Coordinates of all heavy atoms in Angstrom, one line a residue:
M20 N -5.9 15.1 6.7 CA -5.7 13.7 6.7 C -4.5 13.3 7.5 O -3.5 14.0 7.4 CB -5.5 13.2 5.2 CG -5.4 11.7 5.1 SD -5.6 11.2 3.4 CE -3.9 11.0 2.9
K21 N -4.6 12.3 8.3 CA -3.5 11.8 9.1 C -2.5 11.1 8.3 O -2.8 10.4 7.4 CB -4.0 10.8 10.2 CG -3.0 10.4 11.1 CD -3.5 9.4 12.2 CE -2.3 9.0 13.0 NZ -2.6 8.0 14.0
Q22 N -1.2 11.4 8.6 CA -0.1 10.8 7.9 C 0.2 9.5 8.5 O 0.0 9.3 9.7 CB 1.1 11.7 8.0 CG 1.1 12.9 7.1 CD 2.4 13.6 7.2 OE1 2.9 14.0 8.2 NE2 3.0 13.9 6.0
I23 N 0.6 8.5 7.7 CA 1.1 7.2 8.2 C 2.6 7.3 8.4 O 3.3 7.6 7.5 CB 0.7 6.1 7.2 CG1 -0.8 6.1 7.0 CG2 1.3 4.8 7.7 CD1 -1.2 5.2 5.8
E24 N 3.0 7.1 9.6 CA 4.4 7.2 9.9 C 5.0 5.8 9.9 O 4.5 4.8 10.4 CB 4.7 7.8 11.3 CG 4.2 9.2 11.3 CD 4.9 10.1 12.3 OE1 6.1 9.7 12.6 OE2 4.4 11.1 12.7
I25 N 6.1 5.7 9.1 CA 6.9 4.4 9.0 C 8.2 4.6 9.7 O 9.1 5.2 9.1 CB 7.0 4.0 7.6 CG1 5.6 3.8 7.0 CG2 7.8 2.7 7.5 CD1 5.6 3.5 5.5
N26 N 8.3 4.2 11.0 CA 9.6 4.3 11.7 C 10.6 3.3 11.2 O 10.2 2.3 10.5 CB 9.3 4.3 13.2 CG 8.8 3.0 13.7 OD1 9.0 2.0 13.2 ND2 8.0 3.1 14.8
N27 N 11.8 3.4 11.7 CA 12.8 2.5 11.2 C 12.6 1.1 11.6 O 12.8 0.1 10.8 CB 14.2 3.0 11.8 CG 15.4 2.2 11.2 OD1 15.5 2.1 10.0 ND2 16.2 1.7 12.1
E28 N 12.0 0.8 12.8 CA 11.7 -0.6 13.2 C 10.7 -1.2 12.3 O 10.9 -2.4 11.8 CB 11.2 -0.6 14.6 CG 10.9 -1.9 15.2 CD 10.3 -1.9 16.5 OE1 10.2 -0.8 17.2 OE2 9.9 -3.0 17.0
F29 N 9.7 -0.5 12.0 CA 8.6 -1.0 11.1 C 9.2 -1.2 9.7 O 8.9 -2.2 9.0 CB 7.4 0.0 11.0 CG 6.2 -0.5 10.3 CD1 5.5 -1.6 10.8 CD2 5.9 0.0 9.1 CE1 4.4 -2.0 10.1 CE2 4.8 -0.5 8.4 CZ 4.0 -1.5 8.9
E30 N 10.0 -0.3 9.2 CA 10.6 -0.4 7.9 C 11.5 -1.6 7.8 O 11.5 -2.4 6.8 CB 11.5 0.9 7.6 CG 12.1 0.9 6.2 CD 12.9 2.2 6.0 OE1 12.4 3.2 6.3 OE2 14.0 2.1 5.5
Q31 N 12.3 -1.9 8.9 CA 13.1 -3.1 8.9 C 12.3 -4.4 8.9 O 12.7 -5.3 8.2 CB 14.1 -3.0 10.1 CG 15.1 -1.9 10.1 CD 15.9 -1.9 8.8 OE1 16.4 -2.9 8.3 NE2 16.0 -0.7 8.2
K32 N 11.2 -4.4 9.6 CA 10.3 -5.5 9.5 C 9.8 -5.8 8.1 O 9.8 -6.9 7.7 CB 9.1 -5.4 10.5 CG 9.5 -5.5 12.0 CD 8.3 -5.2 12.9 CE 8.7 -5.3 14.3 NZ 7.6 -5.1 15.2
L33 N 9.4 -4.7 7.5 CA 8.9 -4.9 6.1 C 10.0 -5.4 5.2 O 9.7 -6.3 4.3 CB 8.3 -3.6 5.6 CG 7.0 -3.1 6.2 CD1 6.7 -1.7 5.7 CD2 5.9 -4.1 6.1
K34 N 11.2 -4.9 5.3 CA 12.3 -5.4 4.5 C 12.6 -6.8 4.8 O 12.9 -7.6 3.9 CB 13.6 -4.5 4.8 CG 13.5 -3.1 4.2 CD 14.8 -2.4 4.5 CE 14.7 -1.0 3.8 NZ 16.0 -0.2 4.1
R35 N 12.5 -7.3 6.1 CA 12.8 -8.7 6.4 C 11.7 -9.6 5.7 O 12.0 -10.7 5.3 CB 12.8 -8.9 7.9 CG 14.1 -8.4 8.5 CD 14.3 -9.0 9.9 NE 13.3 -8.8 10.8 CZ 13.2 -7.7 11.6 NH1 14.1 -6.8 11.6 NH2 12.2 -7.5 12.5
I36 N 10.5 -9.1 5.7 CA 9.4 -9.9 5.1 C 9.7 -10.1 3.6 O 9.6 -11.2 3.1 CB 8.0 -9.2 5.3 CG1 7.6 -9.3 6.8 CG2 7.0 -9.9 4.4 CD1 6.5 -8.4 7.1
T37 N 10.1 -9.0 2.9 CA 10.5 -9.0 1.5 C 11.6 -10.0 1.3 O 11.6 -10.8 0.3 CB 10.8 -7.6 1.0 OG1 9.7 -6.8 1.2 CG2 11.0 -7.7 -0.5
E38 N 12.7 -9.9 2.1 CA 13.8 -10.8 2.0 C 13.4 -12.2 2.2 O 13.9 -13.1 1.5 CB 14.9 -10.4 3.0 CG 15.6 -9.1 2.7 CD 16.5 -8.6 3.9 OE1 16.7 -9.4 4.9 OE2 17.0 -7.5 3.8
H39 N 12.5 -12.5 3.1 CA 12.1 -13.9 3.4 C 11.3 -14.4 2.2 O 11.6 -15.6 1.8 CB 11.2 -13.9 4.6 CG 10.7 -15.3 4.9 ND1 11.5 -16.3 5.5 CD2 9.5 -15.8 4.8 CE1 10.7 -17.3 5.6 NE2 9.5 -17.1 5.2
F40 N 10.3 -13.7 1.7 CA 9.5 -14.2 0.6 C 10.0 -14.0 -0.8 O 9.6 -14.7 -1.7 CB 8.0 -13.7 0.8 CG 7.3 -14.2 2.0 CD1 7.2 -13.4 3.1 CD2 6.8 -15.4 2.0 CE1 6.5 -13.8 4.2 CE2 6.1 -15.9 3.1 CZ 6.0 -15.1 4.2
G41 N 10.8 -12.9 -0.9 CA 11.3 -12.6 -2.2 C 10.4 -11.5 -2.9 O 9.2 -11.5 -2.7
I42 N 11.0 -10.7 -3.7 CA 10.3 -9.6 -4.4 C 9.2 -10.1 -5.3 O 8.1 -9.6 -5.4 CB 11.2 -8.6 -5.0 CG1 10.4 -7.3 -5.4 CG2 12.0 -9.2 -6.2 CD1 9.7 -6.6 -4.3
D43 N 9.5 -11.2 -6.1 CA 8.5 -11.7 -7.0 C 7.3 -12.2 -6.3 O 6.2 -11.9 -6.7 CB 9.1 -12.9 -7.8 CG 10.2 -12.5 -8.8 OD1 10.2 -11.3 -9.1 OD2 11.0 -13.3 -9.1
T44 N 7.4 -12.8 -5.2 CA 6.3 -13.3 -4.4 C 5.5 -12.1 -3.9 O 4.3 -12.1 -3.9 CB 6.7 -14.2 -3.2 OG1 7.4 -15.3 -3.7 CG2 5.6 -14.6 -2.3
Q45 N 6.2 -11.1 -3.4 CA 5.6 -9.9 -2.9 C 4.8 -9.1 -4.0 O 3.8 -8.5 -3.7 CB 6.5 -9.0 -2.1 CG 7.0 -9.7 -0.8 CD 5.9 -10.4 0.0 OE1 5.6 -11.5 -0.2 NE2 5.4 -9.6 1.0
L46 N 5.4 -9.1 -5.2 CA 4.7 -8.4 -6.3 C 3.4 -9.1 -6.6 O 2.3 -8.5 -6.9 CB 5.6 -8.3 -7.5 CG 6.7 -7.3 -7.4 CD1 7.7 -7.5 -8.6 CD2 6.2 -5.9 -7.3
I47 N 3.4 -10.5 -6.5 CA 2.2 -11.2 -6.7 C 1.2 -10.9 -5.6 O 0.0 -10.8 -5.8 CB 2.5 -12.7 -6.8 CG1 3.3 -13.0 -8.1 CG2 1.2 -13.6 -6.7 CD1 3.9 -14.4 -8.2
K48 N 1.7 -10.9 -4.4 CA 0.9 -10.6 -3.2 C 0.3 -9.2 -3.3 O -0.9 -9.0 -2.9 CB 1.8 -10.7 -1.9 CG 1.0 -10.5 -0.6 CD 0.2 -11.6 -0.3 CE -0.4 -11.6 1.1 NZ -1.4 -12.6 1.3
L49 N 1.0 -8.2 -3.8 CA 0.5 -6.9 -4.0 C -0.7 -6.9 -4.9 O -1.7 -6.3 -4.7 CB 1.6 -5.9 -4.5 CG 1.1 -4.5 -4.8 CD1 0.5 -3.8 -3.5 CD2 2.3 -3.7 -5.3
N50 N -0.6 -7.7 -6.0 CA -1.7 -7.8 -7.0 C -2.9 -8.4 -6.3 O -4.0 -8.0 -6.5 CB -1.2 -8.7 -8.2 CG -2.2 -8.7 -9.3 OD1 -2.7 -7.7 -9.7 ND2 -2.5 -9.9 -9.7
E51 N -2.7 -9.5 -5.5 CA -3.8 -10.1 -4.8 C -4.5 -9.2 -3.8 O -5.7 -9.1 -3.8 CB -3.3 -11.3 -4.0 CG -2.8 -12.5 -4.9 CD -2.1 -13.6 -4.1 OE1 -2.0 -13.5 -2.8 OE2 -1.6 -14.5 -4.7
E52 N -3.7 -8.4 -3.1 CA -4.2 -7.5 -2.1 C -5.0 -6.4 -2.7 O -6.0 -5.9 -2.2 CB -3.1 -7.0 -1.1 CG -2.4 -8.1 -0.3 CD -3.4 -8.7 0.7 OE1 -4.5 -8.3 0.9 OE2 -2.9 -9.7 1.4
M53 N -4.5 -5.9 -3.8 CA -5.2 -4.8 -4.5 C -6.5 -5.3 -5.1 O -7.5 -4.6 -5.0 CB -4.3 -4.2 -5.7 CG -3.1 -3.4 -5.1 SD -2.2 -2.5 -6.3 CE -1.8 -3.7 -7.6
G54 N -6.5 -6.5 -5.6 CA -7.8 -7.1 -6.0 C -8.8 -7.3 -4.9 O -10.0 -7.0 -5.1
E55 N -8.3 -7.7 -3.7 CA -9.2 -7.8 -2.5 C -9.8 -6.4 -2.1 O -10.9 -6.3 -1.8 CB -8.4 -8.4 -1.4 CG -8.2 -9.9 -1.6 CD -7.3 -10.5 -0.5 OE1 -7.3 -9.9 0.6 OE2 -6.8 -11.6 -0.7
L56 N -8.9 -5.4 -2.2 CA -9.4 -4.1 -1.9 C -10.5 -3.6 -2.9 O -11.5 -3.1 -2.5 CB -8.2 -3.1 -1.9 CG -8.6 -1.6 -1.6 CD1 -9.3 -1.4 -0.3 CD2 -7.4 -0.7 -1.7
L57 N -10.2 -3.9 -4.1 CA -11.2 -3.5 -5.2 C -12.5 -4.3 -5.0 O -13.6 -3.7 -5.0 CB -10.6 -3.8 -6.5 CG -11.4 -3.5 -7.8 CD1 -11.7 -2.0 -7.8 CD2 -10.8 -4.0 -9.0
N58 N -12.4 -5.6 -4.7 CA -13.6 -6.3 -4.5 C -14.4 -5.9 -3.2 O -15.6 -5.8 -3.2 CB -13.3 -7.8 -4.4 CG -12.9 -8.4 -5.7 OD1 -13.3 -7.9 -6.8 ND2 -12.0 -9.4 -5.7
E59 N -13.6 -5.6 -2.2 CA -14.3 -5.1 -0.9 C -15.0 -3.8 -1.2 O -16.1 -3.6 -0.7 CB -13.2 -5.0 0.2 CG -13.8 -5.0 1.5 CD -14.4 -6.3 1.9 OE1 -13.9 -7.4 1.7 OE2 -15.5 -6.2 2.5
G60 N -14.4 -2.9 -2.0 CA -15.0 -1.7 -2.3 C -16.3 -1.9 -3.0 O -17.3 -1.3 -2.7
Y61 N -16.3 -2.7 -4.0 CA -17.5 -3.0 -4.8 C -18.6 -3.7 -3.9 O -19.8 -3.3 -4.0 CB -17.3 -3.9 -6.0 CG -16.7 -3.2 -7.2 CD1 -15.5 -3.7 -7.8 CD2 -17.2 -2.0 -7.7 CE1 -14.9 -3.0 -8.8 CE2 -16.7 -1.4 -8.8 CZ -15.5 -1.9 -9.3 OH -15.0 -1.2 -10.4
R62 N -18.2 -4.6 -3.1 CA -19.1 -5.4 -2.3 C -19.7 -4.5 -1.2 O -20.9 -4.8 -0.8 CB -18.3 -6.5 -1.6 CG -19.2 -7.6 -1.0 CD -18.5 -8.9 -0.6 NE -17.1 -8.8 -0.2 CZ -16.1 -9.3 -1.0 NH1 -16.3 -9.9 -2.1 NH2 -14.8 -9.2 -0.6
N63 N -19.0 -3.5 -0.7 CA -19.5 -2.8 0.5 C -19.9 -1.3 0.1 O -20.0 -0.5 1.1 CB -18.4 -2.8 1.6 CG -18.3 -4.1 2.2 OD1 -19.3 -4.6 2.7 ND2 -17.1 -4.7 2.1
V64 N -19.9 -1.0 -1.1 CA -20.1 0.5 -1.4 C -21.3 1.1 -0.8 O -21.3 2.3 -0.4 CB -20.1 0.7 -3.0 CG1 -21.4 0.1 -3.6 CG2 -19.9 2.1 -3.3
Y65 N -22.4 0.3 -0.6 CA -23.6 0.9 0.0 C -23.9 0.4 1.4 O -24.9 0.7 2.0 CB -24.8 0.6 -0.9 CG -24.6 1.3 -2.2 CD1 -24.4 0.5 -3.4 CD2 -24.7 2.6 -2.4 CE1 -24.3 1.1 -4.6 CE2 -24.5 3.3 -3.6 CZ -24.3 2.5 -4.7 OH -24.2 3.1 -5.9
K66 N -23.0 -0.3 2.0 CA -23.2 -0.9 3.4 C -22.7 0.1 4.4 O -21.6 0.7 4.2 CB -22.5 -2.2 3.5 CG -23.1 -3.3 2.7 CD -22.4 -4.6 3.0 CE -23.0 -5.8 2.2 NZ -22.3 -7.0 2.4
S67 N -23.4 0.2 5.5 CA -23.0 1.1 6.6 C -21.7 0.6 7.3 O -21.0 1.5 7.9 CB -24.1 1.3 7.6 OG -24.4 0.0 8.2
D68 N -21.4 -0.6 7.3 CA -20.2 -1.2 8.0 C -19.0 -1.4 7.0 O -18.1 -2.1 7.4 CB -20.6 -2.5 8.7 CG -21.0 -3.6 7.7 OD1 -21.3 -3.3 6.6 OD2 -21.0 -4.7 8.2
A69 N -19.0 -0.7 5.9 CA -18.0 -0.9 4.9 C -16.6 -0.3 5.4 O -15.6 -0.8 5.0 CB -18.4 -0.2 3.6
K70 N -16.7 0.7 6.2 CA -15.4 1.4 6.6 C -14.4 0.5 7.1 O -13.2 0.5 6.7 CB -15.7 2.5 7.6 CG -14.5 3.4 7.9 CD -14.9 4.5 8.8 CE -13.7 5.3 9.1 NZ -13.9 6.4 10.0
E71 N -14.7 -0.4 8.1 CA -13.7 -1.2 8.7 C -13.1 -2.2 7.7 O -11.9 -2.4 7.7 CB -14.4 -2.0 9.9 CG -13.3 -2.9 10.6 CD -13.9 -3.6 11.8 OE1 -15.1 -3.3 12.2 OE2 -13.2 -4.4 12.4
A72 N -14.0 -2.8 6.9 CA -13.5 -3.8 5.9 C -12.5 -3.1 4.9 O -11.5 -3.6 4.5 CB -14.6 -4.4 5.1
L73 N -12.9 -1.9 4.5 CA -12.0 -1.1 3.6 C -10.7 -0.7 4.2 O -9.7 -0.7 3.6 CB -12.8 0.1 3.0 CG -13.9 -0.2 2.1 CD1 -14.7 1.1 1.8 CD2 -13.4 -0.8 0.8
E74 N -10.8 -0.3 5.5 CA -9.6 0.0 6.2 C -8.6 -1.2 6.3 O -7.4 -1.1 6.1 CB -9.9 0.5 7.6 CG -10.5 1.9 7.6 CD -11.1 2.3 9.0 OE1 -11.3 1.5 9.9 OE2 -11.3 3.5 9.2
N75 N -9.2 -2.4 6.6 CA -8.4 -3.6 6.7 C -7.7 -3.9 5.4 O -6.5 -4.2 5.3 CB -9.2 -4.7 7.2 CG -9.6 -4.6 8.7 OD1 -8.9 -4.0 9.5 ND2 -10.6 -5.3 9.1
E76 N -8.5 -3.9 4.3 CA -7.9 -4.2 3.0 C -6.9 -3.1 2.6 O -5.9 -3.5 1.9 CB -9.0 -4.4 2.0 CG -9.9 -5.6 2.2 CD -9.1 -6.9 2.3 OE1 -8.1 -7.0 1.6 OE2 -9.6 -7.8 3.0
T77 N -7.2 -1.9 2.9 CA -6.2 -0.8 2.6 C -4.9 -1.0 3.3 O -3.8 -0.8 2.7 CB -6.8 0.6 2.9 OG1 -8.0 0.8 2.1 CG2 -5.8 1.7 2.6
A78 N -5.0 -1.4 4.6 CA -3.8 -1.7 5.3 C -3.0 -2.8 4.7 O -1.7 -2.7 4.6 CB -4.1 -2.0 6.8
D79 N -3.6 -3.9 4.2 CA -2.9 -5.0 3.6 C -2.2 -4.5 2.3 O -1.0 -4.8 2.1 CB -3.9 -6.1 3.2 CG -4.5 -6.9 4.3 OD1 -3.9 -6.8 5.4 OD2 -5.5 -7.5 4.2
V80 N -2.9 -3.7 1.5 CA -2.3 -3.1 0.3 C -1.1 -2.3 0.6 O 0.0 -2.4 0.0 CB -3.3 -2.4 -0.6 CG1 -2.6 -1.6 -1.7 CG2 -4.4 -3.3 -1.1
L81 N -1.3 -1.4 1.6 CA -0.2 -0.5 1.9 C 1.0 -1.2 2.5 O 2.2 -0.8 2.2 CB -0.7 0.6 2.9 CG -1.6 1.7 2.3 CD1 -2.2 2.6 3.4 CD2 -0.9 2.5 1.3
N82 N 0.8 -2.2 3.3 CA 1.9 -3.0 3.8 C 2.8 -3.6 2.7 O 4.0 -3.5 2.8 CB 1.5 -4.1 4.8 CG 1.3 -3.6 6.2 OD1 1.9 -2.7 6.6 ND2 0.4 -4.2 6.9
V83 N 2.1 -4.2 1.8 CA 2.9 -4.8 0.7 C 3.4 -3.7 -0.3 O 4.6 -3.8 -0.8 CB 2.0 -5.9 -0.1 CG1 2.9 -6.6 -1.1 CG2 1.5 -6.9 0.9
L84 N 2.7 -2.7 -0.5 CA 3.1 -1.6 -1.4 C 4.4 -1.0 -0.9 O 5.3 -0.7 -1.6 CB 2.0 -0.6 -1.6 CG 2.4 0.6 -2.5 CD1 2.8 0.1 -3.9 CD2 1.2 1.6 -2.6
V85 N 4.4 -0.7 0.4 CA 5.6 -0.1 1.0 C 6.8 -1.1 0.9 O 7.9 -0.6 0.7 CB 5.3 0.3 2.5 CG1 6.6 0.8 3.2 CG2 4.3 1.5 2.5
Q86 N 6.6 -2.4 1.1 CA 7.7 -3.3 0.9 C 8.3 -3.2 -0.5 O 9.5 -3.1 -0.7 CB 7.1 -4.8 1.0 CG 6.8 -5.1 2.4 CD 6.2 -6.5 2.5 OE1 6.8 -7.5 1.9 NE2 5.1 -6.7 3.2
V87 N 7.4 -3.0 -1.5 CA 7.9 -2.9 -2.9 C 8.6 -1.6 -3.1 O 9.7 -1.5 -3.7 CB 6.7 -3.0 -3.9 CG1 7.1 -2.7 -5.3 CG2 6.1 -4.4 -3.8
M88 N 8.1 -0.5 -2.5 CA 8.7 0.8 -2.6 C 10.1 0.8 -1.9 O 11.0 1.3 -2.5 CB 7.8 1.9 -1.9 CG 6.5 2.1 -2.6 SD 5.4 3.2 -1.7 CE 6.3 4.8 -1.9
L89 N 10.2 0.1 -0.8 CA 11.5 0.0 -0.1 C 12.5 -0.8 -0.9 O 13.6 -0.5 -1.1 CB 11.3 -0.6 1.3 CG 10.6 0.3 2.3 CD1 10.2 -0.5 3.5 CD2 11.4 1.5 2.6
Y90 N 12.0 -1.9 -1.5 CA 12.9 -2.8 -2.2 C 13.5 -2.1 -3.4 O 14.7 -2.2 -3.7 CB 12.1 -4.1 -2.7 CG 12.9 -5.0 -3.5 CD1 13.7 -6.0 -2.8 CD2 13.0 -5.0 -4.9 CE1 14.5 -6.9 -3.5 CE2 13.8 -5.8 -5.6 CZ 14.5 -6.8 -4.9 OH 15.4 -7.7 -5.6
F91 N 12.6 -1.3 -4.1 CA 13.1 -0.6 -5.3 C 13.7 0.8 -5.0 O 14.0 1.5 -5.9 CB 12.0 -0.5 -6.4 CG 11.7 -1.9 -7.0 CD1 10.6 -2.5 -6.7 CD2 12.6 -2.4 -7.9 CE1 10.3 -3.8 -7.3 CE2 12.3 -3.7 -8.5 CZ 11.2 -4.3 -8.2
D92 N 13.7 1.1 -3.7 CA 14.3 2.4 -3.2 C 13.6 3.5 -4.0 O 14.3 4.4 -4.5 CB 15.8 2.4 -3.4 CG 16.4 3.5 -2.6 OD1 15.9 4.0 -1.6 OD2 17.5 4.0 -3.1
L93 N 12.3 3.5 -4.0 CA 11.6 4.6 -4.7 C 11.6 5.8 -3.9 O 11.7 5.8 -2.6 CB 10.1 4.1 -4.9 CG 9.9 2.9 -5.8 CD1 8.4 2.6 -6.0 CD2 10.6 3.0 -7.1
D94 N 11.6 7.0 -4.5 CA 11.8 8.3 -3.9 C 10.4 8.8 -3.5 O 9.5 9.1 -4.3 CB 12.4 9.3 -4.9 CG 12.6 10.6 -4.3 OD1 11.9 11.0 -3.4 OD2 13.6 11.3 -4.7
W95 N 10.2 8.7 -2.1 CA 8.9 9.1 -1.6 C 8.5 10.5 -1.9 O 7.3 10.8 -2.2 CB 8.9 9.0 -0.1 CG 9.1 7.6 0.4 CD1 10.3 6.9 0.4 CD2 8.2 6.7 0.9 NE1 10.1 5.6 0.9 CE2 8.8 5.4 1.2 CE3 6.8 6.8 1.2 CZ2 8.2 4.3 1.8 CZ3 6.2 5.7 1.8 CH2 6.9 4.5 2.0
H96 N 9.4 11.4 -2.0 CA 9.1 12.8 -2.3 C 8.7 13.0 -3.7 O 7.8 13.7 -4.1 CB 10.3 13.7 -2.0 CG 10.6 13.8 -0.5 ND1 9.8 14.4 0.4 CD2 11.7 13.2 0.2 CE1 10.3 14.3 1.6 NE2 11.4 13.6 1.5
R97 N 9.4 12.3 -4.6 CA 9.1 12.3 -6.0 C 7.7 11.7 -6.2 O 6.9 12.3 -7.0 CB 10.1 11.5 -6.9 CG 9.6 11.3 -8.3 CD 10.7 11.3 -9.3 NE 10.4 10.9 -10.7 CZ 9.2 11.1 -11.3 NH1 8.3 11.8 -10.8 NH2 9.1 10.7 -12.6
I98 N 7.3 10.6 -5.5 CA 6.0 10.1 -5.7 C 5.0 11.1 -5.2 O 3.9 11.2 -5.8 CB 5.9 8.7 -4.9 CG1 6.8 7.7 -5.5 CG2 4.5 8.3 -4.7 CD1 7.0 6.4 -4.7
G99 N 5.2 11.8 -4.1 CA 4.3 12.8 -3.6 C 4.1 13.9 -4.7 O 3.0 14.4 -4.9
D100 N 5.2 14.3 -5.3 CA 5.1 15.3 -6.3 C 4.3 14.9 -7.5 O 3.5 15.6 -8.1 CB 6.5 15.7 -6.8 CG 7.3 16.5 -5.8 OD1 6.7 17.0 -4.8 OD2 8.6 16.6 -5.9
V101 N 4.5 13.6 -7.9 CA 3.8 13.1 -9.1 C 2.3 13.0 -8.7 O 1.4 13.3 -9.5 CB 4.3 11.7 -9.5 CG1 3.4 11.0 -10.5 CG2 5.7 11.8 -10.0
M102 N 2.0 12.5 -7.5 CA 0.6 12.5 -7.0 C 0.0 13.8 -7.1 O -1.2 14.0 -7.6 CB 0.5 11.9 -5.6 CG 0.8 10.5 -5.5 SD 1.0 9.9 -3.7 CE -0.7 10.2 -3.2
S103 N 0.7 14.9 -6.6 CA 0.1 16.2 -6.7 C -0.2 16.7 -8.1 O -1.2 17.3 -8.4 CB 1.1 17.2 -6.0 OG 1.2 16.9 -4.6
S104 N 0.8 16.4 -9.0 CA 0.6 16.9 -10.4 C -0.6 16.1 -11.0 O -1.3 16.7 -11.8 CB 1.9 16.7 -11.2 OG 2.2 15.3 -11.4
K105 N -0.8 14.8 -10.7 CA -1.9 14.1 -11.3 C -3.2 14.6 -10.7 O -4.2 14.7 -11.5 CB -1.7 12.6 -11.0 CG -0.6 12.0 -11.8 CD -0.5 10.5 -11.5 CE 0.7 10.0 -12.4 NZ 0.2 9.3 -13.6
V106 N -3.3 15.0 -9.4 CA -4.5 15.6 -8.9 C -4.8 16.9 -9.6 O -6.0 17.1 -9.9 CB -4.3 15.8 -7.4 CG1 -5.4 16.7 -6.8 CG2 -4.3 14.4 -6.6
E107 N -3.8 17.7 -9.8 CA -4.0 19.0 -10.6 C -4.6 18.7 -12.0 O -5.4 19.5 -12.4 CB -2.7 19.8 -10.6 CG -2.3 20.3 -9.3 CD -3.4 21.2 -8.6 OE1 -4.0 22.0 -9.3 OE2 -3.6 21.0 -7.4
R108 N -4.1 17.7 -12.6 CA -4.6 17.4 -14.0 C -6.1 16.9 -13.9 O -6.8 17.1 -14.8 CB -3.8 16.3 -14.7 CG -2.5 16.9 -15.3 CD -1.9 15.8 -16.1 NE -1.2 14.9 -15.2 CZ -0.7 13.7 -15.5 NH1 -0.9 13.2 -16.7 NH2 -0.1 13.0 -14.7
W109 N -6.5 16.3 -12.8 CA -7.9 15.8 -12.7 C -8.8 16.9 -12.4 O -10.0 16.8 -12.5 CB -8.0 14.8 -11.6 CG -7.3 13.5 -11.9 CD1 -6.9 13.0 -13.1 CD2 -6.9 12.5 -10.9 NE1 -6.3 11.8 -12.9 CE2 -6.3 11.4 -11.6 CE3 -7.0 12.4 -9.5 CZ2 -5.8 10.3 -11.0 CZ3 -6.5 11.3 -8.9 CH2 -5.9 10.2 -9.6
M110 N -8.3 18.1 -11.9 CA -9.2 19.2 -11.4 C -9.7 19.9 -12.6 O -9.2 20.1 -13.7 CB -8.4 20.1 -10.5 CG -7.9 19.5 -9.2 SD -9.2 18.7 -8.3 CE -10.1 20.1 -7.7

């Protein structure tokens, strides 16, 4: 799987967006974007052209999610470790 790289310039842009709109607004936006992704998934589950729509909605979710992660200074490595442990529990 290809990694998504977030360079310093992109990170600074995301931080400026959060500063401009405020974290409360971005948390609401995250909720909206996650709902759109969920709806897109249900709507397109059996369509051959679903991939592009799902990629677009996933990008929206990730952009806002990374803003939230940066705002709260979440530990990316710890999140990766938790993700791995949760996958192991599902196996």
Side-chain angles (χ1 to χ4, degrees):
M20 182 164 100
K21 183 179 178 187
Q22 287 184 307
I23 299 170
E24 296 209 22
I25 299 174
N26 63 31
N27 190 50
E28 179 183 358
F29 188 71
E30 183 177 316
Q31 294 307 313
K32 287 178 181 179
L33 293 176
K34 286 180 177 181
R35 282 197 305 270
I36 292 167
T37 305
E38 289 171 8
H39 176 77
F40 290 104
I42 190 61
D43 291 338
T44 299
Q45 294 313 87
L46 289 169
I47 292 167
K48 183 71 170 172
L49 178 59
N50 187 49
E51 292 171 3
E52 296 295 354
M53 289 189 309
E55 289 176 16
L56 176 59
L57 180 63
N58 288 333
E59 200 63 47
Y61 281 128
R62 192 170 28 251
N63 289 303
V64 70
Y65 297 111
K66 292 183 181 177
S67 61
D68 62 344
K70 184 177 179 180
E71 183 177 352
L73 289 170
E74 288 170 341
N75 287 336
E76 292 304 330
T77 299
D79 289 341
V80 168
L81 288 173
N82 274 333
V83 185
L84 179 60
V85 171
Q86 288 175 50
V87 171
M88 292 172 70
L89 291 169
Y90 181 86
F91 289 107
D92 194 26
L93 301 183
D94 185 328
W95 296 74
H96 295 289
R97 170 146 168 37
I98 291 169
D100 291 344
V101 171
M102 288 172 65
S103 294
S104 69
K105 289 181 181 262
V106 167
E107 289 305 315
R108 279 190 282 163
W109 292 341
M110 297 303 292

